[in-house]
Amino acid sequence: TGTRPRLIRAELAMLALSSASAALAPAALLRAPAAARSTPPVMETIDDLKSLAVKANPVVGYWNPTPLADMGFWGQSQEATIGFLRHAELKHGRVAMAAFVGFCLQSNGVHFPWACTLEGTTFGDIAAAGGPAAQWDALPTNAKLQILLLIGFFELLSENTYALAQSGQKHYMRGGKPGVFPSLKKVGIPVPVPLDLWDPFGFTAKMSQEKKDAKLVTELNNGRAAMLGIMGFVAASKVPGSVPALDGLIAPYSGEVMAPFSAGDSALPFVEGMLKASPF
């Protein structure tokens, strides 16, 4: 009958897609379980941005002083560009929220009570170096490399189409949801992962979609405020008096706030030259 050939063609198409995903996936991911059912692709448009802007701030509404949302990055469509911008804002907002809280805690001497290296260096020793930026400079080089490599791993995982598919998601520039991070448990990581990075305790599992959407708008606003806040902290520490409301509250910092490494890491390639080239 006509039904059977259609079924065969559908099965062959699914097999071809699975083979293509496996060919592009890292070897460690090939042992992952079968992918979850994918969500239908939804590409956000300018109208969606305008609607979201009103929900986030009814007073300001849609305010776009740059032409970024009207462009097509890397030859992609406008919708793909909007997905990139939305994802970037959410990710930067989340990092800024963590940084804002961390800056407040570190500025007030809050730290773990144990050692952070096998040589016996404690978190208290790091905290005694000064403000948060000075504390980062005081970290051993190996500690910085571990942190940066972990961040890089999370970045690669969040961009990996195969990893996203295991959580039933697509890339944010291909119709996926901006801000989504794939499940660590479903991507075939060789080491057992007890908790996921996103929602490790499953608080949102039984939440209605309406409530999730409202919380996403709240997260967007909090992220925007945190980005302004952490840059205010950094400016006040680097240029005392630049943020009058923070005068006397932020420890001054004389190093390079945008450099991942400092003079203590000069054994690494290119670091010494980078420090000499710094205008600050």
Side-chain angles (χ1 to χ4, degrees), residues 27-195:
L29 299 181
L30 296 181
R31 296 186 293 274
R37 181 175 297 175
S38 297
T39 56
V42 178
M43 302 290 281
E44 292 185 341
T45 65
I46 287 290
D47 289 337
D48 293 317
L49 291 183
K50 292 178 179 179
S51 176
L52 177 63
V54 173
K55 293 177 183 177
N57 192 324
V59 176
V60 177
Y62 182 69
W63 184 62
N64 180 29
T66 72
L68 294 179
D70 301 318
M71 298 172 65
F73 291 177
W74 308 292
Q76 302 291 315
S77 66
Q78 183 186 31
E79 289 77 12
T81 299
I82 289 174
F84 174 86
L85 294 172
R86 288 270 290 120
H87 186 82
E89 181 179 30
L90 286 168
K91 182 164 63 175
H92 283 81
R94 290 167 181 169
V95 172
M97 285 188 279
F100 185 91
V101 174
F103 199 104
C104 292
L105 293 175
Q106 290 176 257
S107 294
N108 287 280
V110 179
H111 59 80
F112 294 119
W114 51 76
C116 62
T117 69
L118 296 177
E119 290 76 18
T121 303
T122 67
F123 283 100
D125 297 330
I126 303 299
Q135 291 177 37
W136 169 261
D137 289 346
L139 282 175
T141 301
N142 287 339
K144 293 178 183 176
L145 292 176
Q146 290 174 36
I147 293 170
L148 294 174
L149 286 173
L150 180 62
I151 293 172
F153 168 75
F154 286 147
E155 282 288 302
L156 290 174
L157 191 66
S158 67
E159 296 287 334
N160 187 275
T161 302
Y162 179 86
L164 289 165
Q166 305 313 302
S167 297
Q169 299 293 335
K170 295 180 179 294
H171 193 272
Y172 51 84
M173 294 183 73
R174 295 293 179 268
K177 295 179 180 178
V180 165
F181 191 87
S183 169
L184 296 175
K185 297 180 180 180
K186 296 179 181 179
V187 297
I189 296 177
V191 180
V193 179
L195 298 173

Side-chain angles (χ1 to χ4, degrees), residues 103 228-237 240-251:
F103 199 104
L228 293 173
I230 188 62
M231 291 310 297
F233 285 163
V234 171
S237 66
S242 60
V243 185
L246 297 177
D247 281 353
L249 298 177
I250 305 295

